[in-house]
Amino acid sequence: GPGAAHQTTWIVFRDRHERQRHGRYSQEQRGRQPVALVVDDEPLVLLLLSVILTGRGWRVIQASDGNDALAKAQGTDLDLLVTDFEMPGMDGRTLAHRLCERDPKLPVLLVSGRPEAANWIEGVRRSAFLAKPFGIEDLGLRVEALTGYPIAWSRDQSAGV
């Protein structure tokens, strides 16, 4: 319809009880830099997601599609998967299920311009949906809620910017 161009950002959370500060992480793990696998076939979106997460203290592994992501995930302890839904080859849902077979507790943030994609992450235990276009703060809050990792950046620090 005529309102189709106006996109509303809305979010779906699952397993609210898993949103505690410390999530699934032990003290030892919390002492190390968390690792996020970020997957998007649009280079600018991949860069934006990576820059935001890096600024919040994450180590980011970038991948441009599902197969690339699976290869790069080999032998790596991931703390978060951020993936686009629609990509050539393997889509984000298939990628999430493949990685969650290996680590059922892996938090997954699905990013998509199609709101109905929020329904396509059923079966992933810890997941959230972020609609494109998204705000930097939206992404940060979603990641913190999903993983329990505090955001390094805060409003206080940005007040003078």
Side-chain angles (χ1 to χ4, degrees), residues 77-146:
D77 280 335
L78 297 175
D79 300 296
L80 174 66
L81 169 65
V82 180
T83 182
D84 186 21
F85 179 76
E86 291 178 278
M87 296 181 288
M90 186 188 306
D91 66 23
R93 175 173 50 176
T94 306
L95 172 64
H97 284 287
R98 293 280 294 276
L99 288 173
C100 287
E101 280 169 14
R102 203 185 65 179
D103 179 4
K105 290 182 179 175
L106 178 67
V108 176
L109 180 61
L110 184 68
V111 182
S112 176
R114 298 175 62 178
E116 64 270 27
N119 301 317
W120 298 338
I121 43 177
E122 296 296 343
V124 174
R125 241 183 85 203
R126 305 181 62 190
S127 58
F129 174 74
L130 183 64
K132 290 179 184 176
F134 55 84
I136 292 173
E137 185 84 345
D138 291 334
L139 174 66
L141 291 172
R142 216 71 69 248
V143 166
E144 184 181 24
L146 254 184

Side-chain angles (χ1 to χ4, degrees), residues 29-116:
Q29 281 176 299
R30 295 184 74 78
R32 69 171 176 82
Q33 189 178 23
V35 180
L37 176 60
V38 179
V39 194
D40 201 302
D41 61 323
E42 295 177 56
L44 279 175
V45 177
L46 184 61
L47 179 65
L48 178 65
L49 289 165
S50 301
V51 165
I52 294 168
L53 287 171
T54 301
R56 282 158 173 69
W58 287 79
R59 180 163 80 81
V60 172
I61 299 169
Q62 295 185 354
S64 55
D65 61 52
N67 290 314
D68 184 30
L70 281 180
K72 288 181 174 170
Q74 286 299 319
T76 307
D77 280 335
L78 297 175
D79 300 296
L80 174 66
L81 169 65
V82 180
T83 182
D84 186 21
F85 179 76
E86 291 178 278
M87 296 181 288
M90 186 188 306
D91 66 23
R93 175 173 50 176
T94 306
L95 172 64
H97 284 287
R98 293 280 294 276
L99 288 173
C100 287
E101 280 169 14
R102 203 185 65 179
D103 179 4
K105 290 182 179 175
L106 178 67
V108 176
L109 180 61
L110 184 68
V111 182
S112 176
R114 298 175 62 178
E116 64 270 27

